[in-house]
């Protein structure tokens, strides 16, 4: 396996002066291509902050970040937008889907926004992904009417739409019951095995973390285990 | 950006009630805009047609080259000052070539009709009753081209001919005249003619109805001893507002002193101008209302959709895409509101009489002056401008805080 991404000495400070909060204090981490890793740590330890930086949605206060050989600290907003679109998928805990669009429309968004329209090829791939997520009966369902577990599976399908190298999932099962959570994790595991997509999944759930081959523990702003 | 368009359209259809209200608000603004355009335009039309519709738009009068007479005040009882002036040679000479000029003037673009006339004064006598009248000799066939005599007839016909006279109703009533009766008309030249009353008109203008007589041009020739030429050429234009320019052309073409109706009508023009200004003022307010309405509604929508905007940004939508989505919403609202308002405006104006049939007492709304295209265009531009601020604020949404992990 080769390194998919590498962050060195990440520092992230929110605010300034007396109110300044140093969340990341020189965190370094390497993810290999094809890994399936859980991100653990107490609440407030900086898991979401790290995922946001890895997802290029926020820049660290200092430190380096390279993925697929590209320096993502120096890149501008436009370059990062394109990079995210092609190489990074996201699954969030809340607010995942566009409520006024169907499941399929949500899934193909990352491709359609790049192409400027919804192509037949994109629709076909979107359908395939939804079928794989066990949602063939919900393909053209308004996403607002889906259950929590169904929404998260649609979100996973969307994260995979552009076949990115990395999928970042921030407590993807945090809102789900045990059965739905297991179903979502099963699907993630399958994709990881079949396609070699790298997953980094933050969670508070030891059981969920146990399904991942690697556990990364964050504490005091650095990786502790 | 077909895809941004799809998303914009979906956002609008997703909250139908809100969109409908917004479009209705814009439509009301457009409706007001169109209503004001039709009203201001119609009013101007109405006022113009009332004041200058029945008069000549360009007039050429025989120049009186007689030297000005300076008459010293004559003390009471000092006797009578009698003077005789020969008709100035230049007066007839100038328009003696009327038969040459008329076809030339008729060929000038924008000229709708030309009426060569002989005008003068005289007395109508019936029995013991005498009334002073202004006499206008008009070519048969051209009776109605300047003053719409035909449209004002209450009895008989406007058609003039040899031995015929057409009078206003006030005068006819004064003299107890009915159609077909004869009367005597004596001109200031001392020529008397016996004429048959062949038509009675009522224009509503007392000066015309009570003191004007129309005879044929040939009758006028006899009355005023003018075997050839005319004293006056009246010209009607297709467009009132072209009078100044057309008068210049005619002057250049013929060398005659063609006077447009606007000479001496400054007050009227100022009043119409002020009225138009009021119209612009109100229309501008209608547009500002549209802009504020669209801007506030879209700003609210960007706030409500912050999480979604964050998601789209995270999925690889650029700032430009987000801007396009919201500007397109503004444009769509502008188009829908504009077309709805214009349609409603048109339908609301339909029942009002056409401009040729304006009557006192009703609003002179001119459906042809609704400025529908302008209203829609300005609305769409306004709505697009209104959406720029919300669109920019949407593009600046920080995905991290918007998704709110
Ligand atoms: N935008 C921000 N401004 C100020 N402080 C912030 C901001 N975002 C996060 N923080 C702080 O940074 C710290 C880490 O937050 P983060 O959300 O990364 O923790 P987490 O490990 O994801 O916690 P949880 O397990 O509860 O989700 C917290 O103390 C939080 O209050
Ligand atoms: Mg978190």
């Amino acid at each position: 396996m080769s390194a998919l991404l590498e962050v060195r000495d990440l520092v992230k400070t929110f605010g300034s002066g007396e109110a300044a909060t140093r969340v990341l204090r020189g965190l370094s981490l390497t993810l290999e291509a094809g890994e399936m890793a859980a991100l653990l740590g107490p609440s407030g330890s900086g898991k979401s902050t790290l995922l946001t930086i890895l997802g290029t949605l926020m820049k660290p206060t200092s430190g380096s970040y390279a993925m697929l050989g590209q320096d993502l600290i120096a890149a501008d907003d436009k370059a990062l937008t394109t990079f995210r679109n092609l190489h990074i998928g996201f699954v969030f805990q809340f607010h995942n889907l566009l409520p006024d669009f169907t499941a399929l429309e949500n899934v193909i968004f990352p491709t359609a926004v790049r192409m400027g329209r919804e192509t037949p090829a994109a629709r076909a791939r979107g359908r395939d992904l939804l079928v794989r997520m066990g949602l063939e009966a919900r393909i053209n369902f308004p996403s607002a009417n889906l259950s929590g577990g169904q929404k998260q599976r649609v979100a996973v399908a969307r994260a995979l739409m552009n076949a990115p190298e990395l999928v970042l999932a921030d407590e993807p099962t945090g809102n789900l019951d045990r059965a739905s959570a297991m179903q979502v994790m099963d699907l993630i595991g399958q994709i990881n095995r079949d396609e070699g997509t790298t997953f980094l999944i933050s969670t508070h759930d030891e059981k969920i973390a146990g399904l991942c081959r690697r556990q990364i523990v964050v504490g005091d702003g650095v990786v502790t285990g | 950006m077909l895809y941004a368009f799809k998303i914009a359209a979906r956002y609008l259809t997703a909250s139908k009630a809100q969109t409908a209200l917004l479009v209705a608000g814009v439509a009301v603004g457009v409706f007001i805009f169109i209503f004001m355009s039709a009203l201001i335009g119609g009013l101007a039309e109405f006022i113009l047609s009332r004041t200058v519709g029945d008069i000549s738009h360009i007039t050429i009068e025989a120049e009186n080259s007689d030297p000005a007479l300076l008459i010293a005040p004559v003390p009471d009882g000092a006797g009578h000052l009698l003077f005789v002036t020969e008709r100035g040679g230049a007066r007839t000479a100038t328009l003696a070539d009327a038969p040459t000029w008329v076809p030339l003037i008729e060929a000038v673009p924008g000229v709708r009709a030309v009426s060569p006339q002989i005008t003068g004064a005289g007395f109508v006598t019936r029995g013991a009753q005498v009334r002073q009248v202004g006499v206008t000799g008009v070519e048969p066939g051209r009776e109605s081209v300047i003053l719409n005599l035909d449209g004002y007839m209450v009895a008989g016909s406007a058609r003039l001919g040899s031995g015929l006279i057409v009078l206003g109703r006030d005068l006819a009533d004064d003299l107890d005249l009915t159609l077909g009766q004869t009367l005597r008309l004596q001109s200031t030249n001392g020529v008397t003619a016996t004429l048959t009353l062949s038509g009675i008109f009522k224009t509503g203008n007392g000066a015309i109805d009570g003191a004007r007589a129309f005879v044929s041009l040939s009758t006028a020739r006899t009355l005023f001893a003018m075997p050839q030429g005319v004293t006056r050429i009246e010209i009607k234009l297709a467009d009132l507002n072209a009078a100044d320019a057309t008068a210049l052309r005619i002057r250049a073409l013929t060398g005659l002193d063609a006077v447009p109706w606007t000479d001496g009508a400054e007050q009227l023009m100022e009043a119409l101008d002020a009225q138009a200004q009021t119209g612009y003022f109100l229309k501008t307010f209608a547009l500002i209302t549209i802009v504020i309405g669209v801007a506030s509604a879209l700003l609210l929508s960007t706030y409500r959709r912050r999480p979604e905007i964050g998601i789209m940004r995270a999925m690889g939508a650029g700032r430009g895409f987000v801007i396009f989505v919201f500007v397109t919403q503004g444009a769509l609202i502008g188009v829908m509101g504009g077309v709805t308002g214009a349609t409603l405006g048109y339908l609301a104006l339909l029942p009002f009489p056409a401009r040729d049939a304006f009557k006192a007492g009703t609003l002179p709304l001119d459906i042809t002056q609704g400025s529908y295209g302008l209203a829609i265009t300005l609305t769409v531009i306004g709505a697009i401008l209104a959406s720029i601020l919300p669109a920019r604020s949407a593009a600046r949404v920080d995905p991290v805080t918007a998704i709110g992990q």
Side-chain angles (χ1 to χ4, degrees):
Chain A
M1 281 202 271
S2 59
L4 172 68
L5 70 84
E6 188 168 1
V7 286
R8 286 274 159 264
D9 306 319
L10 276 192
V11 173
K12 181 67 192 180
T13 310
F14 289 109
S16 58
E18 299 228 333
T21 332
R22 249 163 100 88
V23 179
L24 302 182
R25 302 159 179 258
L27 180 147
S28 296
L29 174 69
T30 304
L31 279 183
E32 307 294 333
E35 272 198 289
M36 174 140 165
L39 188 60
L40 293 157
S43 188
S45 57
K47 301 185 295 296
S48 296
T49 304
L50 176 61
L51 287 175
T52 308
I53 292 172
L54 293 180
T56 75
L57 296 172
M58 182 165 73
K59 292 217 168 159
T61 310
S62 67
S64 69
Y65 175 21
M67 176 171 164
L68 294 167
Q70 284 195 45
D71 177 2
L72 297 181
I73 301 293
D76 64 7
D77 181 76
K78 217 178 168 124
L80 290 179
T81 301
T82 309
F83 188 89
R84 270 202 303 277
N85 180 264
L86 293 172
H87 304 297
I88 303 175
F90 292 91
V91 183
F92 305 107
Q93 182 175 357
F94 315 103
H95 297 312
N96 248 314
L97 303 181
L98 308 176
D100 299 316
F101 294 79
T102 64
L104 181 64
E105 286 170 331
N106 266 283
V107 170
I108 64 180
F109 182 91
T111 305
V113 80
R114 189 179 70 236
M115 310 286 281
R117 64 196 187 93
E118 293 175 329
T119 60
R123 278 206 197 87
R125 174 163 170 82
R127 256 191 216 100
D128 277 357
L129 285 165
L130 283 170
V131 170
R132 272 174 85 173
M133 297 295 139
L135 290 168
E136 52 266 79
R138 294 285 181 272
I139 287 175
N140 292 311
F141 216 67
S143 68
N145 297 349
L146 295 170
S147 76
Q150 289 168 342
K151 278 181 187 157
Q152 288 310 72
R153 283 185 278 155
V154 172
V156 172
R158 185 186 55 192
L160 298 170
M161 182 63 197
N162 281 345
E165 286 80 357
L166 174 68
V167 173
L168 301 169
D170 197 356
E171 300 189 45
T173 59
N175 271 3
L176 305 182
D177 64 18
R178 173 71 42 199
S180 309
M182 285 306 157
Q183 192 182 11
V184 169
M185 286 307 293
D186 270 358
L187 290 165
I188 287 177
Q190 264 178 45
I191 301 287
N192 172 258
R193 273 195 306 280
D194 298 352
E195 307 195 354
T197 309
T198 306
F199 281 87
L200 181 59
I201 303 158
S202 90
T203 181
H204 287 286
D205 188 327
E206 296 290 337
K207 263 222 167 76
I208 300 286
L211 295 171
C212 299
R213 286 191 297 280
R214 179 181 170 191
Q215 281 79 34
I216 301 164
V217 183
V218 183
D220 266 341
V222 291
V223 174
T224 57
Chain B
M1 285 308 252
L2 203 64
Y3 192 54
F5 188 88
K6 172 181 171 159
I7 292 185
R10 181 68 56 87
Y11 275 1
L12 291 179
T13 48
S15 37
K16 285 199 183 61
Q18 195 189 327
T19 305
L21 269 176
L22 186 52
V23 167
V26 172
V28 168
V30 174
F31 183 88
I32 291 171
F33 186 101
I34 284 170
F35 199 82
M36 286 315 302
S37 297
L39 180 60
I40 299 292
L43 261 179
E45 199 73 43
F46 180 67
I47 292 168
L48 282 177
S49 74
R50 272 298 156 122
T51 48
V52 292
D54 275 341
I55 65 164
S56 166
H57 296 159
I58 298 175
T59 307
I60 302 167
E61 262 184 297
E63 270 170 64
N64 196 342
S65 65
D66 295 343
L69 286 168
L70 293 173
I71 304 169
V74 181
D76 256 353
H80 299 283
L81 175 69
L82 279 173
F83 61 88
V84 180
T85 53
E86 274 187 53
R87 273 202 331 277
R91 175 180 161 139
T92 35
T94 319
L95 297 184
D97 300 326
T100 327
W101 297 134
V102 170
L104 271 177
I105 296 170
E106 275 175 333
V108 171
V111 170
R112 203 159 66 185
V114 180
S115 173
Q117 304 172 354
I118 293 173
T119 54
F123 300 92
V124 179
T125 322
R126 183 165 192 261
Q129 302 192 66
V130 182
R131 290 285 181 283
Q132 197 179 343
V133 291
V135 181
T136 306
V138 188
E139 267 187 19
R142 301 193 197 227
E143 297 91 347
S144 300
V145 298
I146 306 294
L147 171 72
N148 181 16
L149 209 51
D150 231 0
Y152 292 126
M153 295 313 288
V154 290
S157 145
R159 185 78 191 186
L160 295 164
S162 134
L164 300 180
I165 185 168
V166 171
L167 295 177
R169 188 155 80 185
D170 295 354
L171 189 59
D173 285 353
D174 258 10
L175 296 172
D176 270 335
L177 279 166
T178 52
L179 224 53
Q181 292 185 311
T182 56
L183 53 90
R184 270 155 38 90
L185 174 59
Q186 185 183 23
S187 76
T188 44
N189 288 50
V191 180
T192 303
T194 303
L195 303 165
T196 307
L197 180 60
S198 61
I200 300 174
F201 59 84
K202 179 174 171 26
T203 62
N205 178 338
I208 297 178
D209 294 348
R212 188 77 74 88
F214 290 91
V215 296
S216 73
L217 197 60
S218 58
T219 305
R221 285 198 192 290
T222 318
L223 281 170
F224 297 104
M226 198 181 288
Q228 57 184 331
V230 295
T231 64
R232 188 180 169 93
I233 298 176
E234 293 195 343
I235 299 159
K236 195 88 162 190
L237 301 179
D239 177 13
L240 274 175
N241 303 311
D244 290 2
T246 313
L248 279 178
R249 283 186 82 142
I250 293 173
R251 226 180 279 193
L253 186 73
T254 63
L256 299 175
D257 186 22
V259 180
W261 68 270
T262 47
D263 270 23
E266 283 80 7
Q267 282 183 338
L268 174 63
M269 298 313 273
E270 273 169 25
L272 290 177
D273 247 16
Q275 191 178 287
Q277 299 291 339
T278 313
Y280 291 135
F281 194 67
L282 291 170
K283 286 191 264 184
T284 307
F285 266 105
L287 281 175
I288 290 175
T289 314
I290 291 173
V291 169
I292 292 177
V294 172
S296 63
L298 284 180
L299 211 54
L300 224 71
S301 156
T302 57
Y303 192 76
R304 199 161 58 82
R305 294 191 184 277
R306 276 166 56 83
E308 291 173 58
I309 295 165
I311 292 165
M312 292 197 278
R313 293 278 288 125
M315 299 299 137
R319 287 186 207 276
F321 181 86
V322 175
I323 288 183
F324 201 95
V325 166
F326 280 87
V327 170
T328 304
Q329 286 185 69
L332 285 174
I333 288 166
V335 170
M336 288 190 290
V339 170
T340 310
T343 309
L344 289 178
Y346 184 80
L347 292 177
L349 293 175
L350 265 184
F352 288 90
R355 63 206 281 182
D356 308 323
F358 284 159
K359 276 198 280 291
T362 59
L363 276 181
L365 290 161
D366 185 354
I367 193 165
T368 62
Q369 294 201 52
S371 321
Y372 307 94
L374 182 70
I376 294 174
T377 310
L378 288 179
T379 301
V380 173
I381 293 173
I384 287 175
L385 291 179
S387 62
I388 287 176
L389 180 79
R392 287 175 53 123
S393 100
R396 277 199 298 264
V397 163
D398 171 26
V400 182
T401 49
I403 296 166
Q405 290 296 291

